[in-house]
Amino acid sequence: QQQVKQSPQSLIVQKGGIPIINCAYENTAFDYFPWYQQFPGKGPALLIAIRPDVSEKKEGRFTISFNKSAKQFSLHIMDSQPGDSATYFCAATTSVRGNQFYFGTGTSLTVIP
Amino acid sequence: DTEVTQTPKHLVMGMTNKKSLKCEQHMGHRAMYWYKQKAKKPPELMFVYSYEKLSINESVPSRFSPECPNSSLLNLHLHALQPEDSALYLCASSQVANEQFFGPGTRLTVL
């Protein structure tokens, strides 16, 4: 059973556009939600993370929006650049079992120049 | 030092070979992880070491054998692998329970 559902599977935007990637979860015990960026042949890199006590977090051009009641969170990339083309994974975990991440299925983002 | 290093970057082995993957971090993290990742899929957790003790083993076949010699090092010993074990093997570490930092991975090909 997929603990975290991610969509879309792939996304193509023009440079300067704002791609949005969505994730949903069922387990209300989840209390930490990171996003990872992965380039081909490389390991995932932690981009930004949020806890459910806030509804939004910004770091540079990356913003997480969090809706606790809907059990959904999303990643927005402002002013997207070709260098942002990568695969993005959302994840969720609990403080109790913080060693066990539940990853979404990934979104392949292509930013066209 | 704020990175996780992995060696080798690439490894090709036959089904009868024995090889090892190595992972090192010098961030003082007390938890270390092995993941397996197939193309276009998310990482799959294999093993977790917490304070140098194996705390999670996700029903991984015995042909994969982890080892944590000390708090900075993590090894994955490979023996009698199958072609379907070909994948990117990722090591990660964390200080607190949540923020995991990944290494660049070892691309393993089993012939």
Side-chain angles (χ1 to χ4, degrees):
Chain A
Q1 182 184 0
Q2 189 70 32
Q3 296 260 4
V4 179
K5 296 181 180 179
Q6 183 172 346
S7 63
Q9 185 176 355
S10 63
L11 190 53
I12 301 174
V13 299
Q14 295 277 355
K15 176 183 174 182
I18 306 176
I20 301 172
I21 305 170
N22 301 298
C23 287
Y25 63 97
E26 288 297 325
N27 187 346
T28 55
F30 288 153
D31 58 5
Y32 178 74
F33 304 89
W35 284 90
Y36 284 85
Q37 177 190 56
Q38 187 174 26
F39 294 104
K42 305 292 185 184
L46 179 64
L47 256 184
I48 185 173
I50 197 168
R51 296 188 185 276
D53 52 345
V54 297
S55 59
E56 185 176 276
K57 183 174 181 180
K58 292 182 180 180
E59 285 189 6
R61 296 185 293 108
F62 300 94
T63 299
I64 300 179
S65 298
F66 188 84
N67 186 329
K68 188 175 181 178
S69 61
K71 292 183 285 187
Q72 295 175 347
F73 58 109
S74 58
L75 177 70
H76 303 235
I77 305 175
M78 306 302 176
D79 187 27
S80 58
Q81 301 296 313
D84 296 329
S85 298
T87 299
Y88 292 82
F89 292 100
C90 63
T93 189
T94 70
S95 297
V96 174
R97 286 182 64 81
N99 289 338
Q100 187 137 22
F101 277 19
Y102 297 92
F103 282 93
T105 49
T107 296
S108 176
L109 172 66
T110 302
V111 181
I112 300 171
Chain B
D1 190 347
T2 58
E3 65 175 8
V4 176
T5 59
Q6 290 187 243
T7 56
K9 290 185 179 180
H10 302 276
L11 179 62
V12 179
M13 61 186 291
M15 290 189 286
T16 58
N17 292 159
K18 287 185 180 180
K19 297 286 185 183
S20 297
L21 309 184
K22 297 185 183 301
C23 173
E24 190 167 3
Q25 58 89 13
H26 293 288
M27 295 178 278
H29 291 173
R30 300 313 301 268
M32 296 185 76
Y33 313 75
W34 280 115
Y35 286 86
K36 173 183 177 180
Q37 187 179 29
K38 291 281 204 178
K40 300 188 185 301
K41 298 291 186 182
E44 298 175 36
L45 184 63
M46 300 174 71
F47 302 103
V48 180
Y49 274 83
S50 183
Y51 291 89
E52 297 147 57
K53 292 185 179 179
L54 184 64
S55 61
I56 296 177
N57 177 340
E58 290 289 358
S59 303
V60 180
S62 60
R63 57 186 184 269
F64 295 93
S65 176
E67 178 195 18
C68 189
N70 59 56
S71 59
S72 300
L73 295 174
L74 186 66
N75 298 321
L76 185 63
H77 303 298
L78 314 173
H79 174 55
L81 295 193
Q82 304 297 310
E84 59 264 29
D85 296 322
S86 298
L88 181 68
Y89 286 84
L90 294 162
C91 174
S93 71
S94 68
Q95 175 66 306
V96 297
N98 298 147
E99 293 181 335
Q100 291 189 22
F101 296 90
F102 285 83
T106 292
R107 175 69 61 188
L108 174 67
T109 302
V110 182
L111 301 176

